[in-house]
Amino acid sequence: MNQKYDVVIIGAGAAGLMSAIEAGKRGRSVLLVDHSKKIGEKIRISGGGRCNFTNLYTNPSKFISQNPNFMISALNQYTQYDFIELIKKYQIKFHEKKLGQLFCDESAQQIIDMLLLECKKSEVTLKKETHVLDISKKDNSYITNIGSEIIFSNSLIIATGGLSIPKMGATKFGYDIAKKFDMKLVETEPALVPLTFSDKFLLKCKELTGLSLDSIISLNKNSFKEGMLFTHRGLSGPSILQISSYWKLGNEIKINLSPNFDIYQFLINKKETNPKQDITTLIAEVIPKRLSISICRDQRIGGNISELSNKLLQKLSNSINNWSVSPTGSEGYRTAEVTLGGIDTNELSSKTMMSKKHNGLYFVGEVVDVTGHLGGYNFQWAWSSGYVAGINA
Ligand SMILES: Cc1cc2nc3c(=O)[nH]c(=O)nc-3n(C[C@H](O)[C@H](O)[C@H](O)COP(=O)(O)OP(=O)(O)OC[C@H]3O[C@@H](n4cnc5c(N)ncnc54)[C@H](O)[C@@H]3O)c2cc1C
């Protein structure tokens, strides 16, 4: 059976839903297709079930892309305040957790329900559990084959997301379509992902599993001050997830386990004022006790501080304020929150998200080579890019 819509959207995640709502508002007939049984699964599980839906401080510096200016237009056309307005219209209560990160007070499901209701108001036709068998183009029409129907449309929006969490329905569909239409891709990699280690350092992580503390993690010019967590595979927590987006195999990362304290200065002062104090106990005043014991043991340092040379204290301080570690990998797409890389932004108009080569073909959301830092930026990119395609398709 043949069908005709103005706009077909593949992928009913954050970006696809937003595109559908906006295109529908303009009176366009919209078909939104997803292969999953449940809509908006990533929204549902995000932010620990409360969805960190945007960030008050959204700006281009919070995104990674081969073109660091590409996201500016979309972020300006649909800002964090526009999404906040929508949330307020639906009386969804929210709060700032920290660093401008906005979360629902109650549940991420409220955002999904809101988006689905908006789709309904915009008279969007939603087809769940629908597999796209083929996409082609003839004259000025895109032809989407879903087996039971062949759908013709003037516009086609690809919103199939990245590769992270395959068990939640992530596929390489968007990248395959881009290749089919002769568009370039930037190599993809898991990002916002825990880092893994081997050998001696892995044993340390296992020993300290469950321990979390505030830290500054740095790699080249990038540095993040947030929580860090030891796990039985390596290191995780917000600061590690952030740096993982910049980390490449072979890179060493620096960890400051005591961001608010110059440990050397602290120890020198203590040596004068409290010479009989045990070094492990002293260090435990500024970092968790388990970590203090582990570091002093590794450095073979113990006893009263007065018995330790300043050189030894300097070495010990360095291992706390300036610890160098070399990850051997990451947990990969299985646990990564997002995918770096994707559709090369050179292929798209930053004003409309439309392909420069193919009139009517749009790519939005995570499938594009735009990746946000942790903190609500990835959803804001999905809302902004989805909106822009929706008002143009
Ligand atoms: C555990 C976790 C927590 C996160 N928390 C946050 C957070 O709090 N804040 C934040 O900003 N970001 C967060 N993110 C990132 C955020 O979820 C994504 O960046 C965002 O969902 C991307 O939106 P999207 O619409 O581009 O892709 P997706 O949300 O991934 O949607 C893609 C849709 O396409 C469908 N699809 C895929 N392939 C096909 C196909 N072949 N045929 C039909 N349909 C297909 C999928 O089923 C899916 O519904 C989190 C991610 C994860 C994994």
Side-chain angles (χ1 to χ4, degrees):
M1 197 171 64
N2 287 354
Q3 288 274 16
K4 171 121 186 56
Y5 284 88
D6 293 325
V7 184
V8 168
I9 302 168
I10 318 288
L17 285 162
M18 199 66 183
S19 292
I21 292 164
E22 292 305 323
K25 272 188 198 165
R26 292 167 44 236
R28 307 280 275 158
S29 59
V30 180
L31 173 67
L32 177 58
V33 174
D34 202 292
H35 65 169
S36 295
K37 204 172 178 175
K38 279 175 113 183
I39 296 301
E41 278 298 81
K42 278 200 185 157
I43 301 174
R44 192 180 58 78
I45 60 157
S46 67
R50 296 234 166 114
C51 187
N52 176 195
F53 54 83
T54 191
N55 194 297
L56 289 173
Y57 309 125
T58 301
N59 74 74
S61 74
K62 303 293 183 188
F63 294 86
I64 304 168
S65 169
Q66 282 202 345
N67 177 354
N69 297 322
F70 181 80
M71 66 296 296
I72 294 174
S73 177
L75 294 177
N76 284 341
Q77 290 185 66
Y78 190 86
T79 70
Q80 60 273 39
Y81 304 109
D82 293 316
F83 195 76
I84 293 168
E85 193 83 346
L86 182 60
I87 293 273
K88 283 184 177 166
K89 198 173 114 189
Y90 278 79
Q91 294 173 348
I92 297 174
K93 293 202 178 77
F94 63 92
H95 61 279
E96 179 185 348
K97 195 170 172 189
K98 57 175 179 172
L99 308 169
Q101 301 167 5
L102 301 189
F103 284 75
C104 298
D105 285 359
E106 288 165 29
S107 158
Q109 187 62 44
Q110 293 175 291
I111 305 243
I112 302 172
D113 293 345
M114 172 187 82
L115 295 168
L116 288 175
L117 199 57
E118 284 285 300
C119 278
K120 210 169 171 186
K121 282 192 203 162
S122 292
E123 296 182 30
V124 171
T125 306
L126 174 61
K127 279 189 191 288
K128 299 189 263 188
E129 291 183 87
T130 301
H131 295 270
V132 178
L133 305 180
D134 185 42
I135 287 192
S136 56
K137 190 181 178 190
K138 196 166 176 230
D139 305 326
N140 288 328
S141 256
Y142 291 90
I143 305 163
T144 304
N145 179 351
I146 57 166
S148 54
E149 288 169 35
I150 305 285
I151 300 138
F152 291 79
S153 62
N154 298 330
S155 297
L156 175 68
I157 303 179
I158 305 296
T160 45
L163 297 170
S164 50
I165 326 265
K167 72 169 188 214
M168 293 200 100
T171 68
K172 61 183 182 58
F173 184 87
Y175 311 128
D176 290 344
I177 294 299
K179 280 188 210 153
K180 180 164 181 173
F181 284 87
D182 207 22
M183 294 168 70
K184 286 199 194 76
L185 294 172
V186 173
E187 199 182 329
T188 57
E189 271 178 78
L192 298 182
V193 63
L195 295 174
T196 55
F197 294 83
S198 56
D199 307 327
K200 219 172 132 197
F201 191 77
L202 179 59
L203 293 178
K204 175 165 283 304
C205 292
K206 285 187 172 168
E207 176 199 333
L208 296 169
T209 290
L211 191 147
S212 68
L213 73 166
D214 267 349
S215 61
I216 299 177
I217 316 273
S218 314
L219 174 62
N220 304 324
K221 286 187 206 138
N222 301 296
S223 150
F224 296 94
K225 184 181 176 189
E226 283 183 67
M228 182 185 91
L229 171 73
F230 288 88
T231 74
H232 62 284
R233 289 196 198 87
L235 295 175
S236 186
S239 57
I240 289 290
L241 299 189
Q242 297 278 33
I243 216 73
S244 74
S245 301
Y246 293 93
W247 177 81
K248 300 261 176 296
L249 190 63
N251 287 162
E252 209 176 53
I253 58 174
K254 299 272 187 206
I255 305 180
N256 182 347
L257 295 166
S258 172
N260 303 321
F261 256 107
D262 178 336
I263 298 281
Y264 183 64
Q265 213 42 59
F266 168 75
L267 293 179
I268 293 296
N269 291 344
K270 287 286 179 187
K271 201 173 174 179
E272 275 177 26
T273 55
N274 237 336
K276 294 242 158 58
Q277 213 170 347
D278 174 69
I279 185 71
T280 313
T281 314
L282 263 176
I283 298 287
E285 284 182 24
V286 280
I287 60 172
K289 193 172 172 195
R290 271 167 78 196
L291 189 57
S292 165
I293 294 171
S294 169
I295 290 176
C296 290
R297 189 199 56 219
D298 285 356
Q299 306 257 331
R300 297 202 173 91
I301 289 177
N304 292 347
I305 188 164
S306 60
E307 292 158 12
L308 303 172
S309 70
N310 287 2
K311 202 174 160 197
L312 258 184
L313 294 181
Q314 181 72 69
K315 194 171 159 238
L316 178 63
S317 306
N318 272 346
S319 65
I320 297 170
N321 279 138
N322 199 14
W323 200 17
S324 292
V325 297
S326 293
T328 48
S330 81
E331 288 189 9
Y333 292 116
R334 190 179 58 81
T335 62
E337 284 200 12
V338 284
T339 303
L340 270 183
I343 313 304
D344 190 329
T345 54
N346 285 319
E347 298 282 355
L348 304 173
S349 152
S350 63
K351 290 189 176 64
T352 63
M353 302 303 293
M354 191 172 81
S355 158
K356 289 178 184 168
K357 287 183 194 140
H358 303 280
N359 205 33
L361 178 61
Y362 298 77
F363 288 82
V364 293
E366 203 182 308
V367 74
V368 178
D369 171 35
V370 173
T371 308
H373 287 182
L374 191 79
Y377 303 105
N378 284 295
F379 276 132
Q380 187 57 47
W381 170 243
W383 315 134
S384 297
S385 58
Y387 169 89
V388 166
I391 62 165
N392 285 285

